[in-house]
Every structure is written in C-alpha cells, then in structure tokens.
Amino acid sequence: GENVEQHPSTLSVQEGDSAVIKCTYSDSASNYFPWYKQELGKRPQLIIDIRSNVGEKKDQRIAVTLNKTAKHFSLHITETQPEDSAVYFCAPQRDSSYKLIFGSGTRLLVRP
Amino acid sequence: EAGVAQSPRYKIIEKRQSVAFWCNPISGHATLYWYQQILGQGPKLLIQFQNNGVVDDSQLPKDRFSAERLKGVDSTLKIQPAKLEDSAVYLCASSFGTVTYEQYFGPGTRLTVT
C-alpha cells in the first residue's frame, strides 16, 4: 500500500524564521500534492497544493516544492508568525482515486 | 457557500453501545469521505462515496462500522458495537471529485467511548 512519511514530527522556530517540512511518498503514480493545516481542535484546511507538472508554487509566505524523481515534496513557510502554529499534513494523491493518504503530521510551534 | 455540516459535535457512549453520525456535504459535491482521526495522528480514510456508490471502503472495519449515502447527498456512519479504541474525531469531507481535488472538511464529531 501507499506509504507517506513526514519529517520532522515536531518543529519549533522563532517568530520571523523560516520553517521547512518534508513529505516522502512511495506511490509513483501520485500526481497531486496538497498540504493541509489543522489548528488545535479544528478541521484540516488546504493551504497550498501542486501538480506533478510543476516544480514549485508560491502563495505569499508559503511555498511548495516537488521532486517527483525522488518522490518527495516540501512545505516552506517564511517569516513565520504565531498564527502559523498548527499541525501540518501532507496528503499525496492520484488523480484517478481522489483518495488522500495523510502523513502523520508535523507540529509546528512558532515562538513569539 | 455553506460548508460541510456534521452532527452531533460530541458524543459519549459506553463500550458495546451503538452510535450514528450524520454528514451533509457541500451542495453539488459528488464525492464524500469519512475519516477517523485518533488523537495525535493524521486522518485515516474509512470510506469514500462517489454519488451514492462506494469507491473505497478498504479500511472500514466492516464487522462494526457501516455507512450509507442517501440519494447521493447526506451520509450516515454507524458504529455497532463500539469499542474503546473507537474513541476519535470522525471527520466528514466532500469534494467536487472532478474539476478540483480540494477536500472540504466538516467540524467533526468527537466520540468518547468509556
């Protein structure tokens, strides 16, 4: 079956610093790569996604980079703020199934 | 646009009792998902519907869990009988399933089995 791993499992940064979370997957047929953010006690919400024909995508302070050959993609957050504190999940997916396999999550803590 | 609705928000039951959760997806969303999220873990897909047909239920414990999607809209997830390890948040999500892949999650139902 599909295997999805995230690293690190926890990450603590000072406000204003950058944070990078890496997701490694096993299914070579994956072609859609989203990142979800889940604040404490709330529902997961999509924050950024990328397709396999694009190597990088940026949206203000967040960006996602994809290395399909190595089967990993990363979430980059610059100029971190306390409200970025949450658990982040990657969930690589095949077009044909619309089925998300969530990673185990990365807990990000931004210290003021 | 109204979001995904779920009820109840919280439920406490004793083991061996039964419980049912309800989900109303975003209007027009053909695909509906039920996830189980145990504390400290990522959501795990239990079942996926496309309209009113089951696409994937490979991780649904069928001896105790059942789900249906009425007329391709609302859905219910039932557990009977419940076990202690079923304590989790049950999330419902929906997506268009064709043009866009983004899944929209409901607020979840927090189940505690004692």
Side-chain angles (χ1 to χ4, degrees), chain A residues 18-77:
Chain A
S18 295
V20 181
I21 303 169
K22 184 177 179 180
C23 180
T24 304
Y25 60 95
S26 62
D27 184 1
S28 56
S30 297
N31 51 11
Y32 173 65
F33 306 93
W35 284 95
Y36 282 79
K37 175 184 180 183
Q38 187 174 32
E39 296 177 56
L40 188 63
K42 298 195 175 177
R43 71 195 79 183
Q45 289 189 301
L46 178 72
I47 55 169
I48 196 166
D49 57 12
I50 195 170
R51 296 191 174 283
S52 59
N53 58 342
V54 177
E56 182 175 355
K57 182 178 177 181
K58 190 173 181 181
D59 183 4
Q60 299 182 346
R61 296 186 299 108
I62 60 173
V64 54
T65 59
L66 172 65
N67 185 329
K68 205 151 189 276
T69 303
K71 290 191 282 188
H72 65 75
F73 61 112
S74 297
L75 176 68
H76 305 255
I77 306 175

Side-chain angles (χ1 to χ4, degrees), chain B residues 21-109:
Chain B
F21 313 127
W22 173 82
C23 172
N24 180 242
I26 293 173
S27 177
H29 280 196
T31 310
L32 184 146
Y33 311 80
W34 283 102
Y35 291 90
Q36 179 193 60
Q37 187 173 25
I38 293 171
L39 188 64
Q41 299 181 17
K44 182 182 86 171
L45 180 68
L46 293 175
I47 189 166
Q48 177 183 346
F49 292 95
Q50 182 75 15
N51 296 309
N52 59 353
V54 175
V55 174
D56 187 324
D57 63 356
S58 57
Q59 296 195 93
L60 186 74
K62 298 181 186 63
D63 57 334
R64 297 185 301 106
F65 286 65
S66 64
E68 61 179 359
R69 189 173 184 195
L70 306 172
K71 299 179 182 177
V73 183
D74 292 6
S75 178
T76 56
L77 176 69
K78 297 179 181 177
I79 308 175
Q80 182 178 9
K83 293 185 175 182
L84 296 176
E85 58 261 36
D86 298 332
S87 294
V89 174
Y90 291 84
L91 292 162
C92 178
S94 69
S95 72
F96 278 109
T98 51
V99 175
T100 177
Y101 305 105
E102 180 177 355
Q103 293 190 15
Y104 296 82
F105 286 82
T109 297

Side-chain angles (χ1 to χ4, degrees), chain B residues 11-13 19 21 79 86-90 109-113:
Chain B
K11 191 74 177 177
I12 300 175
I13 61 172
V19 64
F21 313 127
I79 308 175
D86 298 332
S87 294
V89 174
Y90 291 84
T109 297
R110 182 176 298 278
L111 174 67
T112 303
V113 182

